[in-house]
Amino acid sequence: MSGASHDPSTAPAGRGPVFFERRELDQLLRVYGRLVAAGDWRDYSMTGGADVAEFAVYARSGDAPLYRIEKRPALQTRQGQWAVIGQGGQVLKRGRDLAQVLRVFDARRFQVID
């Protein structure tokens, strides 16, 4: 049996870069649209790479992202391929199901502030 190179910086053989499927984009854009309508978000960006796809949201164009929603398929069987990451780099929610992970934004809309 010959040994194949397992360089983690390259995509698996026969696979392209990681990106979002249509169903996933629909879920992401639904949350984005709701928070744009609420005046919380104004812009977004998407990137795809060998190991991760990222959907980032911004309060204003040119600012650092408020949140990053990452898809890392390599983590699906461990802690889950989806993560919502805050401005400071903290993981706010992680899981295997995108809809469940995106619920972190539902809770944020109803916080009581004195």
Side-chain angles (χ1 to χ4, degrees), residues 13 15-16 32 36 38 52 54 57 69 73 76 78 84 87 91:
R15 290 190 158 171
Y32 173 76
V36 165
V52 64
E54 179 182 279
V57 295
I69 301 149
Q76 178 61 23
R78 295 182 209 143
V84 174
Q87 265 185 322
V91 176

Side-chain angles (χ1 to χ4, degrees), residues 31 34-35 41 67-69 83-86 91-94 97-111:
V31 170
R34 188 182 77 226
L35 290 165
W41 296 350
Y67 301 100
R68 293 179 295 124
I69 301 149
V84 174
I85 301 166
V91 176
L92 303 176
K93 182 88 171 166
R94 184 179 296 279
D97 179 56
L98 177 58
Q100 180 69 30
V101 170
L102 290 176
R103 287 192 184 118
V104 72
F105 297 114
D106 293 342
R108 295 196 174 287
R109 295 191 68 216
F110 301 108
Q111 287 180 342

Side-chain angles (χ1 to χ4, degrees), residues 52-87:
V52 64
E54 179 182 279
F55 185 92
V57 295
Y58 304 84
R60 288 180 296 281
S61 298
D63 285 355
L66 293 174
Y67 301 100
R68 293 179 295 124
I69 301 149
E70 290 187 349
K71 175 183 179 181
R72 291 183 182 270
L75 298 178
Q76 178 61 23
T77 57
R78 295 182 209 143
Q79 64 249 47
Q81 72 176 343
W82 295 102
V84 174
I85 301 166
Q87 265 185 322

